[in-house]
Amino acid sequence: MDNEINVNNDRHYTAQDIQVLTGLEPVRKRPGMYIGSTGPKGLHHLVYEVVDNSIDEALAGICDTIRVTIFDDNSVKISDNGSGIPVEIHPQTGKSTVETVLTILHAGGKFNNGAYKVSGGLHGVGVSVVNALSEWLVAKVKRNGKEYVQRFERGIAQTELEIAGDSHDTGTTIHFKPDAEIFETIIFSFETLENRFREMAFLNKRIKIVLEDKRADKIKEFYYEGGIKSFVEYINKNKTPIQKDIMYFEGEKDGTTVELALQYTDGYSESIFTFANNINTPEGGTHLSGLRTALTRVMNDYGRKYGFLKEKDENLSGDDVREGLTGILSVKLMEPQFEGQTKSKLGNSEIRGIVESLTYDYINMYLEENPREGKIILEKAIASQRARDAARKARDLTRRKSVLENTTLPGKLADCQDSDLETTEIYIVEGNSAGGSAKQGRDKKFQAILPLRGKILNVEKARLDRILSSEEIKIMITAFGTGIGEDFNIEKLRYGKIILMTDADVDGAHIRTLLLTFFYRYMRELIDNEHIYIAQPPLYKVTKSRQEHYVYNDDELDKLLEEIGRTNYTLQRYKGLGEMNPEQLWSTTMDPSTRTLLKVTLEDAVAADEVFTTLMGDKVAPRRQFIEENAKFVKNLDI
């Protein structure tokens, strides 16, 4: 089953393959339409778009090494050893093909089916948008025994395409500096790029990606013979697999390649990540639907065939057969249709049937050939089914009770008067002391307060039935109104913002991590739809000449003391929210006109999965290593 999609190599990639659709003018006026935002996410997207072009050549079998270098001035250079952008005069524009591709929107080989059969990127938008949003860009092409060079500034050619010398190699180098007039910041994050390129190397086996940071003298190289099998190994490195081997196949049907790697662990969370033409699809789509349908059907068929499920037993649900499963699904297809501008969901209807058919046949064969693993997997799924039945009973009980009706609850919800999601917010607060101050200091019209007693259950180590036996978690579920598990419905959410307001000490950080783990594993849509926030209470109060100043970190404290003078002042360090009176808590942390809130977002689901597994899982060694590696970033440690 090792069929692969190859480029049509019947003819060379030439100027004739470049089709021009429209001009470049709108990009600088509305950059967000093309790269999503002008913040850090959009900034890094520039690099991805250039690298995607190199990956497309790798998929065509004409490039195997990509080098990305960040320089001290935050310019970035991307080089590959592909065929090089064509240099001939383009018949439609009268300019060199290099200049055409870099200055005209929608000019790219991806629009002509004869050049690339499979591609990612922004479908020909990418490199021209990068040029338009750069202070300067220099393109170098090695092709036809020569090296060609051309310089641009803010998308406008400053030179002609010139021959710089001879070269026996081929390839393209794009060196650009993002325009500070466009972007909120032009400082690239090595870690963000590192995560992305590791992912790319996993998805494209035997392609080498080298990332070098001249600012910090760092270099990382990514190359994986095993491809997505290595990806699953990486995700599961801090988990405990219950299968000896990773299930893997690569198959082709109707011009679409499906590559799948799966491995069950002894955990309770599902970690399946999907990709289409190397583009991450965090919202899934038709390829994920096909995988899930095949898994559920094959596990039930196998379970009944070999007596794991009796005639009177219910079928296993999708949640049951995916409990503890880590998987990577990568499809490569001719004309992907993505739903939404951010390409977060695959919409091609035919892909569902293709993935379902190939997956069912492979997993059925695997279970037949590996009866020991089949027994372990089915027994785990049946244990999940029993727990799910218990969880359903617990949910029914939770549904019948409201927080206000249950007088035995340790924390009481102080609800707000409004019901408009645009304005309402609920603060999750630790302890009665802080809860009391928050209730007195809040604006009752739109702010609700829910105090919790102590630390909630670590959901990383528990099934849903046990989670729903936790009083503190039941209180939250009822207060939010969404339900959980099979009953989760974001349309029933009662508050637009769910704000975690914990103390600025070690215990507070631990409670916050427990809460975030719960949201990530069981109410992920609340994060995806930007409903989860973290309050930022002040760390210090500085009083001088009867004037009070609140600061939120040590850097702000140093800056303030420089301004007011370092004599005749008093300093109070807040260890807990309960140390503030209601007026102070309102003015510093809860007043929308003065407070700072951190929105919880999910840029990289794979990295998030790794962090939660490391911090909240069973293995001690990875947690110790994580703490040691990140200790240098801790500024306010409560000892």
Side-chain angles (χ1 to χ4, degrees):
M1 291 191 178
D2 284 327
N3 298 332
E4 297 180 3
I5 293 181
N6 292 313
V7 155
N8 181 348
N9 284 323
D10 293 341
R11 58 190 179 80
H12 294 293
Y13 171 41
T14 69
Q16 299 296 325
D17 293 309
I18 304 298
Q19 185 177 0
V20 179
L21 302 183
T22 187
L24 187 61
E25 294 82 4
V27 181
R28 287 184 63 84
K29 291 182 181 177
R30 294 184 178 86
M33 289 180 60
Y34 298 89
I35 56 169
S37 79
T38 54
K41 188 173 182 180
L43 176 74
H44 291 83
H45 200 91
L46 298 182
V47 183
Y48 306 153
E49 282 306 323
V50 181
V51 173
D52 278 341
N53 288 338
S54 300
I55 290 288
D56 289 340
E57 293 230 83
L59 290 173
I62 44 180
C63 164
D64 62 13
T65 303
I66 304 164
R67 297 183 181 276
V68 181
T69 307
I70 313 168
F71 293 91
D72 289 336
D73 63 351
N74 277 288
S75 65
V76 177
K77 183 169 72 176
I78 299 101
S79 300
D80 67 42
N81 62 348
S83 59
I85 302 173
V87 295
E88 301 87 357
I89 297 298
H90 193 278
Q92 284 180 256
T93 65
K95 300 177 181 178
S96 73
T97 307
V98 172
E99 184 172 344
T100 300
V101 166
L102 282 161
T103 59
I104 299 179
L105 200 61
H106 294 300
K110 302 174 191 180
F111 282 99
N112 189 316
N113 288 341
Y116 295 117
K117 279 199 170 182
V118 172
S119 67
L122 283 175
H123 297 279
V125 174
V127 74
S128 60
V129 168
V130 174
N131 193 17
L133 301 178
S134 294
E135 180 184 328
W136 53 261
L137 181 148
V138 176
K140 292 183 179 179
V141 174
K142 293 177 181 178
R143 191 177 168 105
N144 307 330
K146 303 289 184 184
E147 181 177 25
Y148 302 82
V149 64
Q150 187 167 17
R151 181 182 175 87
F152 303 83
E153 292 180 7
R154 297 186 167 93
I156 299 171
Q158 302 299 302
T159 65
E160 298 293 323
L161 183 67
E162 300 165 346
I163 296 176
D166 296 328
S167 176
H168 299 296
D169 301 320
T170 61
T172 302
T173 296
I174 301 291
H175 188 182
F176 71 93
K177 183 177 181 180
D179 193 346
E181 294 178 5
I182 298 287
F183 292 95
E184 297 162 21
T185 176
I186 61 165
I187 299 174
F188 287 98
S189 161
F190 184 87
E191 289 72 23
T192 299
L193 295 173
E194 176 186 9
N195 288 336
R196 172 72 172 206
F197 296 145
R198 179 186 294 111
E199 189 175 272
M200 282 185 167
F202 278 133
L203 291 168
N204 301 279
K205 56 190 172 189
R206 295 186 286 277
I207 293 173
K208 185 199 297 185
I209 303 178
V210 182
L211 174 62
E212 184 177 5
D213 190 345
K214 298 283 190 181
R215 301 167 305 180
D217 195 26
K218 285 195 289 190
I219 189 165
K220 286 282 183 75
E221 185 175 301
F222 307 103
Y223 176 87
Y224 301 103
E225 283 280 346
I228 64 170
K229 280 183 72 174
S230 301
F231 204 166
V232 169
E233 285 176 8
Y234 175 81
I235 295 169
N236 281 349
K237 69 179 185 294
N238 295 332
K239 302 179 183 181
T240 305
I242 60 173
Q243 286 175 269
K244 182 182 178 183
D245 300 315
I246 294 171
M247 294 184 276
Y248 171 82
F249 81 89
E250 183 177 8
E252 190 271 337
K253 188 174 182 180
D254 299 336
T256 293
T257 294
V258 177
E259 197 177 3
L260 178 68
L262 300 171
Q263 188 178 43
Y264 281 90
T265 73
D266 67 356
Y268 307 116
S269 301
E270 169 192 345
S271 300
I272 294 178
F273 304 98
T274 60
F275 301 84
N277 290 7
N278 293 322
I279 297 167
N280 187 5
T281 46
E283 292 183 48
T286 51
H287 51 343
L288 179 59
S289 298
L291 169 61
R292 286 179 166 176
T293 302
L295 270 172
T296 305
R297 187 160 62 93
V298 75
M299 292 299 179
N300 278 293
D301 289 352
Y302 184 80
R304 294 204 181 277
K305 180 177 180 180
Y306 290 102
F308 293 100
L309 295 172
K310 308 303 180 190
E311 188 175 333
K312 65 181 189 323
D313 292 339
E314 276 187 42
N315 267 353
L316 297 166
S317 74
D319 287 337
D320 296 332
V321 303
R322 296 193 304 273
E323 184 189 86
L325 180 61
T326 298
I328 300 293
L329 172 62
S330 176
V331 298
K332 287 171 181 155
L333 62 158
M334 272 289 296
E335 295 181 1
Q337 298 162 10
F338 294 99
E339 296 179 8
Q341 189 176 350
T342 57
K343 297 184 176 181
S344 58
K345 190 173 184 180
L346 185 66
N348 299 64
S349 58
E350 73 280 4
I351 297 301
R352 175 172 181 157
I354 292 172
V355 172
E356 183 179 344
S357 171
L358 291 172
T359 300
Y360 183 94
D361 290 346
Y362 169 74
I363 293 180
N364 185 58
M365 179 182 69
Y366 174 86
L367 294 173
E368 293 286 354
E369 293 178 355
N370 298 273
R372 178 184 169 277
E373 274 75 12
K375 181 173 185 289
I376 292 170
I377 293 167
L378 263 294
E379 286 176 347
K380 181 174 176 62
I382 290 167
S384 171
Q385 184 185 52
R386 295 190 186 115
R388 180 169 55 89
D389 290 338
R392 184 183 293 118
K393 292 172 185 172
R395 273 199 305 272
D396 290 343
L397 184 64
T398 305
R399 195 182 296 118
R400 287 195 296 269
K401 295 180 179 180
S402 75
V403 173
L404 296 175
E405 289 172 342
N406 192 339
T407 56
T408 64
L409 294 177
K412 299 229 177 32
L413 172 67
D415 210 351
C416 56
Q417 297 164 352
D418 287 355
S419 58
D420 184 1
L421 288 187
E422 291 294 318
T423 58
T424 54
E425 49 194 45
I426 182 169
Y427 282 82
I428 309 298
V429 186
E430 57 167 311
N432 290 329
S433 175
S437 289
K439 286 176 185 177
Q440 293 176 56
R442 69 182 173 134
D443 186 327
K444 294 180 183 179
K445 185 173 175 59
F446 65 95
Q447 291 179 321
I449 308 296
L450 182 61
L452 299 179
R453 184 178 65 185
K455 297 172 181 176
I456 70 164
L457 179 72
N458 180 2
V459 301
E460 195 73 15
K461 300 180 181 180
R463 276 196 173 106
L464 190 56
D465 58 330
R466 186 167 166 232
I467 290 167
L468 289 177
S469 68
S470 162
E471 285 299 316
E472 303 302 302
I473 289 178
K474 282 196 290 189
I475 293 167
M476 287 195 296
I477 295 167
T478 309
F480 300 157
T482 58
I484 192 172
E486 297 167 355
D487 295 336
F488 182 86
N489 183 355
I490 199 167
E491 298 296 321
K492 295 182 178 179
L493 181 64
R494 299 181 64 238
Y495 308 96
K497 288 186 175 72
I498 297 170
I499 303 169
L500 313 185
M501 188 162 70
T502 60
D503 292 344
D505 61 6
V506 171
D507 280 343
H510 189 202
I511 291 169
R512 189 164 61 244
T513 305
L514 287 165
L515 287 166
L516 289 172
T517 305
F518 170 68
F519 289 126
Y520 178 72
R521 294 299 188 196
Y522 289 96
M523 291 186 168
R524 169 82 176 270
E525 282 186 65
L526 295 180
I527 297 177
D528 292 339
N529 289 278
E530 301 184 346
H531 290 294
I532 307 296
Y533 293 79
I534 297 172
Q536 297 293 289
L539 194 62
Y540 300 104
K541 180 175 80 170
V542 180
T543 307
K544 182 171 182 177
S545 303
R546 296 186 180 179
Q547 281 194 313
E548 295 179 342
H549 307 270
Y550 296 95
V551 292
Y552 295 80
N553 54 54
D554 288 328
D555 291 339
E556 284 188 19
L557 177 62
D558 288 339
K559 187 177 179 181
L560 175 67
L561 295 180
E562 284 294 328
E563 291 174 1
I564 67 172
R566 294 182 175 270
T567 57
N568 301 321
Y569 69 88
T570 58
L571 178 66
Q572 179 183 358
R573 185 185 190 279
Y574 291 113
K575 288 197 173 184
L577 298 170
E579 295 180 20
M580 292 188 212
N581 63 43
E583 293 77 16
Q584 289 174 324
L585 191 57
W586 164 257
S587 64
T588 63
T589 314
M590 300 178 70
D591 181 354
S593 67
T594 57
R595 73 186 179 189
T596 300
L597 292 179
L598 293 183
K599 184 191 296 179
V600 178
T601 60
L602 208 59
E603 294 295 325
D604 188 338
V606 174
D609 186 270
E610 181 184 0
V611 168
F612 286 120
T613 300
T614 301
L615 291 179
M616 311 311 292
D618 286 319
K619 294 193 175 181
V620 175
R623 182 157 50 249
R624 182 185 297 119
Q625 181 183 348
F626 180 91
I627 292 169
E628 288 172 352
E629 289 176 353
N630 290 277
K632 61 189 175 193
F633 301 115
V634 176
K635 290 187 176 179
N636 302 311
L637 184 61
D638 178 67
I639 298 176

